[in-house]
Amino acid sequence: MMALGVIGLLVFFLYPLLANLFYSFTNYDLASPPKWIGLRNYSYLFTQDPRVGRAALNTLWFVALLVPVRIACSLGVAMLLTRRKRAAGFWRTLFYVPALVPPVASVVGFVFLFNPGTGPVNTVLRALGVKGPLWFNDPSLAKPSLLLLGVWMMGDLMVIFLAALLDVPRDQYEASALDGAGGWQRFRYVTLPNISPVLFFAAVTGVIAALQYFTEAAVASSVANGKTGIDAGPDQLLGYPDDSLLTYTQWMYVQGFSSFQLGYAAAMAVVLFVAAAAVMAVLLRRAGVFRQKEK
């Protein structure tokens, strides 16, 4: 069994990793054998690519805002649900159901709801005498609109926090209450230490998912743009409006499977891997510091 595990690790992890690293130093377009060009792909990536900087900043926006907002909202809703005594199962199901909807269907539905001309949200705003914004068609509001979608789909994370909160020993709350601790102090000194492993898990998986953010932004751009893959290429569909929804992985997809610059796409993948590894190293180091403080 150990040998099978080693073989699986070599075939499905180490070989693809080394092959990707090799192709990142080549000019490869599938039609001809890869040609060694040294660091030229990396030089172009860091100094000449006109859209990669915007794509990287958009990805960092989702890492910096989407991840903490989803964690905070999921934890807040889970804490409220632990206090529900009546119809608790109904409310837990209500908040979890959006997580079961496929991401593509969720995005299409959200773009329809926030359609500037015919969407129900702007229709209600007009009835109240308020001029509705352009939402997914406005470069300054496209990412916050996707943030709302991410919060709406927080059911998977909320369930994990709910299980962690219900597992916190009740006697610790009772003892802290006898000592005169208020609500914030019970949360700070009882709840947080008990659920810190779950918070760390949510942060790690959230950052990894945000660095690979693709489907929601790509579908939102395509639907809001009103074009399909028939009348426009991926480089025109992705990123609408004004490259505000163009993420790093989308631009890597365009380079690899639309422009067939597989060597350059491999270089982008290597940079993304290094960035993700660096962020994980920082998070793991911080988690170790927290454990030492607790000791």
Side-chain angles (χ1 to χ4, degrees):
M1 291 299 291
M2 185 68 180
L4 289 176
V6 172
I7 291 173
L9 184 67
L10 293 175
V11 173
F12 296 110
F13 178 73
L14 190 59
Y15 170 72
L17 185 64
L18 294 178
N20 186 82
L21 183 62
F22 167 74
Y23 287 123
S24 72
F25 295 105
T26 67
N27 181 14
Y28 183 40
D29 59 2
L30 282 180
S32 55
K35 180 182 177 183
W36 184 269
I37 58 172
L39 295 173
R40 249 183 259 176
N41 283 329
Y42 292 96
S43 174
Y44 181 79
L45 171 61
F46 287 109
T47 61
Q48 299 179 48
D49 192 323
R51 298 178 71 182
V52 72
R54 182 67 182 276
L57 289 176
N58 290 335
T59 302
L60 290 177
W61 190 97
F62 286 112
V63 172
L65 292 180
L66 180 60
V67 176
V69 168
R70 260 176 61 86
I71 290 176
C73 291
S74 302
L75 180 59
V77 171
M79 293 181 68
L80 291 175
L81 291 177
T82 57
R83 300 179 181 180
R84 292 290 306 180
K85 302 300 181 186
R86 300 178 59 183
F90 168 77
W91 290 107
R92 292 173 186 177
T93 305
L94 184 66
F95 281 102
Y96 180 70
V97 163
L100 300 177
V101 181
V104 173
S106 300
V107 177
V108 172
F110 245 67
V111 175
F112 168 74
L113 287 174
F114 289 93
N115 185 291
T118 60
V121 174
N122 275 12
T123 301
V124 173
L125 291 177
R126 276 195 296 272
L128 297 173
V130 179
K131 183 181 179 182
L134 296 178
W135 301 111
F136 287 97
N137 296 90
D138 186 342
S140 63
L141 291 178
K143 285 193 289 290
S145 300
L146 276 183
L147 181 66
L148 293 177
L149 173 66
V151 172
W152 181 70
M153 299 177 65
M154 65 181 177
D156 53 343
L157 195 55
M158 181 273 297
V159 167
I160 296 174
F161 280 129
L162 182 61
L165 290 170
L166 292 175
D167 200 39
V168 177
R170 297 294 102 182
D171 56 344
Q172 293 187 13
Y173 286 120
E174 294 169 0
S176 60
L178 290 174
D179 290 338
W184 167 250
Q185 290 171 316
R186 287 198 296 273
F187 175 76
R188 171 67 181 84
Y189 297 106
V190 177
T191 305
L192 279 183
N194 279 286
I195 68 170
S196 57
V198 179
L199 281 171
F200 179 69
F201 167 80
V204 169
T205 55
V207 168
I208 292 174
L211 287 172
Q212 301 174 356
Y213 202 66
F214 185 98
T215 303
E216 290 85 349
V219 176
S221 293
S222 180
V223 177
N225 198 7
K227 294 182 179 179
T228 66
I230 297 175
D231 50 9
D235 56 333
Q236 296 172 297
L237 287 176
L238 301 178
Y240 178 86
D242 195 22
D243 280 352
S244 60
L245 293 184
L246 181 68
T247 61
Y248 188 86
T249 49
Q250 288 182 52
W251 189 234
M252 186 166 62
Y253 171 82
V254 170
Q255 294 300 319
F257 299 102
S258 178
S259 304
F260 294 104
Q261 299 296 327
L262 294 180
Y264 182 61
M268 292 184 67
V270 170
V271 172
L272 179 62
F273 175 79
V274 172
V279 172
M280 291 305 107
V282 171
L283 288 176
L284 291 171
R285 184 177 177 82
R286 294 291 299 173
V289 169
F290 290 150
R291 282 196 293 270
Q292 288 174 6
K293 285 182 177 178
E294 288 171 6
K295 291 177 181 178

